[in-house]
Amino acid sequence: MVTFSHPDDLTSAAFADVSLRGARFTRSDLSGVVMRAVDIAGADIDAPWLLGGENALLVNGVDVAPFVEAELDRRFPGRGERRAKDPDGLRAAWAKAEAAWDAALRRVAGMPPGTEDVSVDGEWSFAQTVRHLIMATDTWLGGPVLGHEKPYHPLGLPNAEYGTDGYDLSVFVPGTPPYAEVLEARAGRMAMVRDFLAGVTAADLAVTRSNPWSPEHEVTTGS
């Protein structure tokens, strides 16, 4: 198998009469890719940022992004409420998120021991995903909003490119920490969000702060 990785750059490359069957693209920029007369049966696309802003995904000339968004909202009650602009709406959305989270924990608890550390098809295990949620809470709430000088919990897990982007990995513990400790840390971070939302006001949500990933850009607390 031929492998392309950073710093390989295939921008504007042309592929004609070639087979990409079974190819895998991970953390790759495919924006603006044009495919004509292609066989994409069974293709599996995970594009988290597609559904934000004015992005589009055209399949046979039809923008399917709005259909995907609506279906995800239907499948996951409370997901649509994440766009709430007022404190009461955000509190209601978080309550639904916590209820869904409790259900997920019960489902994992009912599986064979060790399931939480199993990776499927190269993706993060459930425990690793929980650890990333801890890190995400610290990134967006603990640091820029609550002003914690050292926001990161050592059990957090950063994204794959965190180190290569120049960030300090030493604040996070290596290896596979005990699942019970991970759950305890996650519960603490969820309480941090809950406590913040309990007293937040519309004026608080309008306050602008530096985007933790792009400090030169400001975003509102609400966003």
Side-chain angles (χ1 to χ4, degrees), residues 55-76:
N55 297 322
L57 175 62
L58 301 179
V59 178
N60 291 348
V62 179
D63 181 7
V64 301
F67 300 102
V68 174
E69 181 79 339
E71 176 61 14
L72 289 174
D73 286 347
R74 185 192 69 80
R75 291 186 182 188
F76 303 106

Side-chain angles (χ1 to χ4, degrees), residues 49-135:
W49 299 276
L50 171 66
L51 304 178
E54 302 299 323
N55 297 322
L57 175 62
L58 301 179
V59 178
N60 291 348
V62 179
D63 181 7
V64 301
F67 300 102
V68 174
E69 181 79 339
E71 176 61 14
L72 289 174
D73 286 347
R74 185 192 69 80
R75 291 186 182 188
F76 303 106
R79 181 180 182 275
E81 283 89 333
R82 77 191 190 284
R83 306 181 188 88
K85 302 297 184 183
D86 60 278
D88 286 340
L90 289 175
R91 283 188 279 267
W94 183 250
K96 290 186 177 182
E98 290 210 65
W101 182 250
D102 288 342
L105 291 181
R106 289 194 300 271
R107 182 179 179 186
V108 174
M111 294 180 177
T115 297
E116 65 275 2
D117 289 321
V118 175
S119 171
V120 177
D121 198 21
E123 299 291 345
W124 274 343
S125 68
F126 183 77
Q128 288 174 314
T129 302
V130 177
R131 293 180 62 195
H132 185 64
L133 290 173
I134 295 169
M135 185 262 190

Side-chain angles (χ1 to χ4, degrees), residues 141 145-146 191-200 204-205 221:
L141 179 60
V145 177
L146 299 182
M192 188 167 73
V193 177
R194 189 186 318 120
D195 292 344
F196 171 74
L197 290 177
V200 76
D204 294 331
L205 295 177
T221 300

Side-chain angles (χ1 to χ4, degrees), residues 139-204:
T139 297
W140 291 100
L141 179 60
V145 177
L146 299 182
H148 295 168
E149 184 177 353
K150 296 181 179 180
Y152 288 115
H153 193 291
L155 292 181
L157 181 65
N159 42 298
E161 60 272 28
Y162 190 79
T164 56
D165 285 346
Y167 294 100
D168 182 14
L169 287 171
S170 66
V171 299
F172 304 107
V173 299
T176 304
Y179 182 54
E181 294 182 13
V182 171
L183 291 183
E184 182 180 3
R186 165 66 171 160
R189 288 310 190 257
M190 293 183 73
M192 188 167 73
V193 177
R194 189 186 318 120
D195 292 344
F196 171 74
L197 290 177
V200 76
T201 66
D204 294 331

